[in-house]
Amino acid sequence: MTSSFDSSSEGVQALIVFTDPVCVYCLDLVHEGLTSESEIAARAAERIGVTVEHAAAVLDGLIGVGYIGRAGLTEIADLGLDDFAAHFEKAMDQLEWLRSKGEGRQVDDILVALDAAWNTRSADPAKRLSAAQFRASAAGRRHAARLEARSLGHVSAVGAAEGARA
């Protein structure tokens, strides 16, 4: 992380994307080489347990924010691992910034949410169980509440006070 980093909308966006199991699985399928939008949406819906319409909307969102591209009307394009890595680096920079502002609990919750998102897309029942346990935990509920309140990746009043004391 550079010393001049400050909270960024791209960093927050990266945290949202990388902690969402549907986003993660869609990205995974694209990086594996799938290009058919309908096939990606169907496979994501089946694995994650959402509707095909929801998975298709997630794909559109990932295109809209530049995580994947369009290669025609119904084809998806992978933007490459360098692009993926750049997005992930923004997420990590945002986490480091949050921790520096006293948001250790939020950072810890996000780190577990990252694992849970990847575990949800796994075919391994133990990993899927681990992800479900996270979602049911206090940390999972806090993460979901931050997403719903659109405060994920932002400094809370509690975090700001703790950061000022540090």
Side-chain angles (χ1 to χ4, degrees):
M1 185 176 103
T2 62
S3 61
S4 64
F5 181 82
D6 198 2
S7 177
S8 78
S9 61
E10 289 179 341
V12 170
Q13 182 180 76
L15 293 175
I16 292 167
V17 167
F18 291 123
T19 61
D20 182 299
V22 181
C23 290
V24 167
Y25 193 54
C26 286
L27 288 170
D28 199 24
L29 292 171
V30 171
H31 291 308
E32 285 178 3
L34 287 180
T35 60
S36 167
E37 185 173 2
S38 61
E39 184 179 355
I40 295 166
R43 286 181 64 178
E46 182 179 343
R47 175 66 60 89
I48 305 298
V50 298
T51 66
V52 171
E53 293 79 13
H54 177 82
V58 167
L59 277 170
D60 282 340
L62 289 169
I63 292 166
V65 296
Y67 280 69
I68 55 177
R70 219 174 252 298
L73 293 177
T74 61
E75 298 296 306
I76 302 296
D78 184 359
L79 300 180
L81 289 178
D82 288 342
D83 187 72
F84 181 88
H87 288 297
F88 200 78
E89 185 175 331
K90 288 176 185 168
M92 295 302 101
D93 286 348
Q94 189 71 19
L95 288 178
E96 191 172 328
W97 179 83
L98 280 170
R99 194 170 298 281
S100 77
K101 299 299 181 188
E103 288 287 334
R105 181 183 227 181
Q106 182 178 181
V107 170
D108 293 344
D109 290 351
I110 291 169
L111 289 171
V112 179
L114 287 165
D115 282 339
W118 287 93
N119 286 341
T120 298
R121 67 150 211 13
S122 175
D124 180 347
K127 288 182 178 182
R128 292 177 63 84
L129 176 61
S130 172
Q133 289 171 334
F134 165 73
R135 287 190 297 277
S137 72
R141 289 189 302 274
R142 285 190 303 269
H143 181 73
R146 288 183 194 107
L147 283 168
E148 187 173 329
R150 296 178 183 233
S151 64
L152 183 76
H154 298 284
V155 175
S156 68
V158 172
E162 290 172 359
R165 286 192 299 257

